[in-house]
Amino acid sequence: MLNDFSTEYSERSDDELLLLASDRASLTTEAAAALDAELRRRNLTESDQVKHQQFVKRNEQREAKKRRRKIFGTRRDRGAWLDLLWAILAMALISFIYLVLPNRFHMKPDWQEAAVHVMFASVFVAVVSRPWWRKIGFWMSLLLSSAIHIFVVHAWIQRVGNLSRGQGKLAILLGLVLFFAVYGFVWLLRRNFYGIAARDHT
């Protein structure tokens, strides 16, 4: 029996022997003796067994992470879904404000048309500017540029009547330009203000 185990173990790889050694409790006395003899013959020590156990544990953890990623997705995937959710909420909120308020306050059709163009521009800005949402300067700039935008578009509508499709696209583009102009102006003001404050404290 011992010779049978010795022959079998001599044909196995080092990794297989070290794996068996980590589960020594399940072996019979003869199998354990043959395993010890083969380990000594190959100069595989207890430190090799410990290293192999650590290696196996790392592999198991890696496989567990892969399984979780297949089920729940990676952190980047979850972040992308969260960004999409916030974008949808932002679009819904902005759309609600621009579509409901004109009717709520019985605004004239020209103001309602201007509000629609401003809504499209604001939604686009909010979606593409997701990394800036935590900055108060972003929301101040969006609010200020939207206010300027709606008055400019309203004046345009009063001058030429209902806007054509091409003019509507230009009106939306105007909103984007106004936002980035206002945001850049606010950024410069904050930079100059904090720069002066820092110099005053030095």
Side-chain angles (χ1 to χ4, degrees):
M1 182 68 71
L2 183 60
N3 290 334
D4 292 339
F5 285 122
S6 298
T7 302
E8 179 184 350
Y9 293 157
S10 65
E11 297 174 353
R12 295 200 177 190
S13 65
D14 290 352
D15 288 339
E16 290 175 326
L17 293 179
L18 292 171
L19 184 61
L20 276 174
S22 65
D23 193 25
R24 183 184 299 274
S26 64
L27 300 178
T28 63
T29 304
E30 293 82 0
L35 177 61
D36 290 337
E38 185 63 26
L39 291 173
R40 286 193 298 270
R41 189 179 71 82
R42 301 190 189 189
N43 294 321
L44 296 175
T45 62
E46 290 186 4
S47 63
D48 294 320
Q49 297 178 33
V50 172
K51 290 178 182 178
H52 184 266
Q53 289 175 358
Q54 293 173 345
F55 173 75
V56 170
K57 187 175 181 179
R58 285 195 299 270
N59 280 344
E60 290 176 349
Q61 292 173 344
R62 193 176 295 115
E63 290 299 322
K65 287 182 179 179
K66 288 181 180 179
R67 288 193 295 270
R68 287 197 296 270
R69 286 174 182 172
K70 288 181 179 179
I71 298 174
F72 301 107
T74 62
R75 182 176 297 179
R76 180 177 298 178
D77 294 334
R78 293 193 295 272
W81 281 107
L82 186 60
D83 287 345
L84 178 61
L85 176 61
W86 279 113
I88 293 173
L89 289 176
M91 288 188 290
L93 179 61
I94 295 173
S95 301
F96 175 80
I97 292 173
Y98 281 109
L99 294 178
V100 172
L101 288 185
N103 291 327
R104 174 68 177 80
F105 293 100
H106 306 290
M107 292 183 177
K108 295 180 179 179
D110 52 354
W111 280 106
Q112 294 185 23
E113 183 181 354
V116 169
H117 294 299
V118 175
M119 176 195 70
F120 282 115
S122 300
V123 167
F124 183 82
V125 168
V127 171
V128 300
S129 305
R130 172 70 178 86
W132 299 343
W133 283 9
R134 294 187 179 182
K135 297 180 179 180
I136 187 65
F138 166 76
W139 295 107
M140 291 172 56
S141 301
L142 182 59
L143 182 63
L144 181 58
S145 65
S146 297
I148 298 172
H149 190 202
I150 196 168
F151 280 105
V152 171
V153 174
H154 177 257
W156 189 3
I157 292 173
Q158 283 190 320
R159 184 178 181 85
V160 302
N162 293 337
L163 301 182
S164 64
R165 179 176 297 181
Q167 291 172 331
K169 291 180 180 179
L170 286 176
I172 295 172
L173 180 61
L174 175 63
L176 306 182
V177 173
L178 282 172
F179 167 77
F180 286 108
V182 171
Y183 186 80
F185 180 71
V186 171
W187 181 81
L188 285 175
L189 284 180
R190 288 169 58 86
R191 181 183 178 185
N192 291 335
F193 174 78
Y194 286 116
I196 293 173
R199 287 197 297 270
D200 290 341
H201 287 292
T202 57

